[in-house]
Amino acid sequence: MRPAEDIKRLIKNLTDKTSAQMDERVLKDVLSALEESEKTSALTQPNIWRIIMKSKITKLATAAVIVTAIMLGMYALTGSFDGTSITMAQIRQAMEEIDWMQMDGWSEEERLTSWYSFASKVAIHVHSKGRILYRDFNAGKELVWNPGSEYIYESPIEEGRLEEGRQLAGGVNNVYKRLTKVFDSIEAKGDYKITRELGIYQSQEVEIWTSCRVKGKAGPTRTELFTMYIDIDKKLPIAATDVKKGADVDIQLNVEFKYPESGPADIYEAGAPRTAQIKPSPEQ
Amino acid sequence: MLEDKLLVLKCRRGSRDAMCRIYEKYKDYLLTLAKGLLSGQQSAEDVVHDVFVSFARKARQFQLTGSLRGYLATCVINRVRDKIRARTRQAEALESANPVIPDLVNPEHRIIEAEELQRLRKAISQIPYEQREAVMLHLKGDMKFREIAKLQGVSVSTIHGRYRYGLDKLRSMLNSEFEK
């Protein structure tokens, strides 16, 4: 009588090897399926907004606004910073005169260029992989173009996204005002030490504001050192970097801010091919 | 596990090399599993082919939540079930296969072992499918009983029973062959 253990061992030892013919047949079909999926994915990919919002660079841009908000909060509490030339009131004043803001962000993995028009309530995002999102809050619609696609898909802006439009309506300062309250409390906890000094950024004289973690533990989503560069003449933020470090994480995100007189007039000017036709999104 | 996550991530970006690597890594394991459940060489190859092609089609949107090995094994099981449902339960003739016998150097021993495996395959193909699945997934697929129970939609004790009955039947069949 064979023991059960013997049968178990035999089954565990069962091994079949694929033949060269099978490998050739499967790989040929698999690679062609992969290629096909790439084409269809380019045509139907609906998640550009999710991709953009999940982008670390977008988060950095938000962080830049947040740090400024922290400064605003400090300014509101103390009235001024010690012996520095730029005051938050000046920045606020400078920001109020702005219509268009351009943001170029990059990390090792990706790049993102965005334009915001506070007067016409438009946001445009161009991702390094070529995807373009054009969102018009006045018209309540968004246009998406994916690389390789012959079409630009149009859909109404979801209710949940309208908050962005409301922020745009109030200009940059509206965002700052709303965030100030939140970040006053963060600052009050004393997790970060904020310093300011004069310096140079790309041959330009700037004020460098840093926000350095002094409490808590390092982590992949936690900022270790945030640096923002403020143009001394124009009193506007021109760049920011965010360093995150963890056990196996060492990321630096970079953003540069520009304030052009205008931005892309439509999705075609943002880079979509002129031949691409606008049609309703198949997801509707 | 980490390597698999990286490979899946690369596949999502359209990497052909990553897709080939996944195929190389799991092709034999999946073929053995499919063949154990179906017993026919051609049918088993078709199942593995279909599983990889389907995986490639959705690679761009694929999100790996557990183990890739487990996911692919589950795909094989589903395809095997489809095949079994699609055809009437006629025993597929045991095709001549070339099983690889590891860790054996002695040629005489190898012949004996090969014959033994042939008998085993035949016996496996003759036990009821649910039992076969429980035995193969536990022993060859390294799946836990609760994982198989979830897959088959029955309780863990039912799987224990199927596994035990399956092994008993195999033992009885192989012993009767041996004693002939």
Side-chain angles (χ1 to χ4, degrees), chain A residues 9-268:
Chain A
R9 181 188 59 81
L10 276 174
I11 293 175
K12 281 186 177 176
N13 280 345
L14 274 178
T15 308
D16 290 285
K17 295 260 183 205
T18 60
S19 62
Q21 291 95 322
M22 177 185 171
D23 289 347
E24 195 185 333
R25 177 172 78 107
V26 176
L27 281 174
K28 182 172 157 273
D29 293 350
V30 160
L31 294 178
S32 107
L34 185 69
E35 206 169 308
E36 196 60 34
S37 82
E38 213 163 337
K39 283 180 197 160
T40 50
S41 140
L43 293 174
T44 58
Q45 202 150 31
N47 294 326
I48 181 171
W49 182 243
R50 191 171 58 80
I51 291 162
I52 285 170
M53 286 316 288
K54 281 180 82 177
S55 160
K56 292 185 184 107
I57 293 162
T58 311
K59 287 176 186 166
L60 171 57
T62 310
V65 174
I66 284 166
V67 167
T68 313
I70 294 172
M71 305 295 180
L72 275 172
M74 285 178 67
Y75 179 72
L77 288 172
T78 61
S80 68
F81 291 105
D82 301 332
T84 51
S85 57
I86 302 172
T87 65
M88 286 312 303
Q90 286 173 309
I91 291 181
R92 182 177 285 183
Q93 177 66 39
M95 295 301 277
E96 274 173 5
E97 288 164 14
I98 284 168
D99 175 13
W100 282 88
M101 179 169 80
Q102 181 183 335
M103 183 193 88
D104 296 306
W106 68 96
S107 68
E108 277 188 10
E109 297 167 356
E110 58 182 343
R111 294 188 74 89
L112 180 74
T113 300
S114 300
W115 289 268
Y116 298 92
S117 168
F118 300 103
S120 51
K121 289 173 72 180
V122 165
I124 305 146
H125 305 277
V126 179
H127 197 263
S128 51
K129 288 188 177 170
R131 301 179 188 116
I132 301 173
L133 174 74
Y134 187 97
R135 181 163 283 156
D136 184 338
F137 288 94
N138 278 332
K141 66 176 184 184
E142 66 182 26
L143 301 168
V144 176
W145 179 77
N146 287 297
S149 176
E150 295 169 8
Y151 300 105
I152 293 164
Y153 291 107
E154 181 182 320
S155 56
I157 298 174
E158 290 172 31
E159 184 61 35
R161 312 275 188 237
L162 291 173
E163 177 58 23
E164 189 194 9
R166 284 191 275 272
Q167 289 182 5
L168 287 174
V172 179
N173 275 325
N174 194 33
V175 182
Y176 289 7
K177 281 173 198 162
R178 291 173 65 259
L179 289 170
T180 302
K181 278 186 184 173
V182 178
F183 288 95
D184 276 352
S185 62
I186 291 174
E187 174 59 25
K189 284 182 190 166
D191 286 355
Y192 288 87
K193 184 188 175 193
I194 295 172
T195 57
R196 305 188 345 155
E197 60 183 5
L198 287 174
I200 300 288
Y201 179 82
Q202 291 187 350
S203 316
Q204 194 171 345
E205 219 180 330
V206 291
E207 262 194 25
I208 303 169
W209 298 1
T210 59
S211 172
C212 181
R213 182 181 65 78
V214 288
K215 277 190 186 172
K217 287 181 182 172
T221 58
R222 186 161 196 174
T223 292
E224 281 295 291
L225 178 65
F226 186 95
T227 310
M228 190 145 74
Y229 304 88
I230 320 285
D231 182 331
I232 288 179
D233 295 331
K234 293 180 181 163
K235 321 290 185 213
L236 289 169
I238 54 170
T241 61
D242 184 17
V243 176
K244 296 180 194 301
K245 282 185 179 170
D248 52 356
V249 178
D250 191 350
I251 307 170
Q252 177 164 331
L253 306 166
N254 312 280
V255 168
E256 281 184 356
F257 297 99
K258 291 172 190 158
Y259 305 94
E261 285 190 1
S262 65
D266 52 33
I267 195 166
Y268 298 108

Side-chain angles (χ1 to χ4, degrees), chain B residues 31-98:
Chain B
L31 183 66
T32 307
L33 196 59
K35 207 170 156 188
L37 294 170
L38 275 171
S39 82
Q41 177 77 19
Q42 191 55 51
S43 305
E45 284 188 6
D46 287 347
V47 162
V48 175
H49 169 276
D50 293 352
V51 164
F52 276 109
V53 170
S54 166
F55 175 68
R57 279 200 189 113
K58 54 192 172 197
R60 304 285 297 190
Q61 286 88 36
F62 185 73
Q63 299 271 3
L64 183 61
T65 48
S67 89
L68 180 60
R69 189 175 190 261
Y71 168 79
L72 292 171
T74 307
C75 292
V76 163
I77 295 156
N78 290 333
R79 295 263 167 187
V80 166
R81 286 178 183 173
D82 288 348
K83 265 199 183 297
I84 288 173
R85 269 195 291 268
R87 71 184 185 206
T88 52
R89 202 161 192 177
Q90 55 184 29
E92 201 168 280
L94 198 65
E95 296 168 30
S96 58
N98 294 312

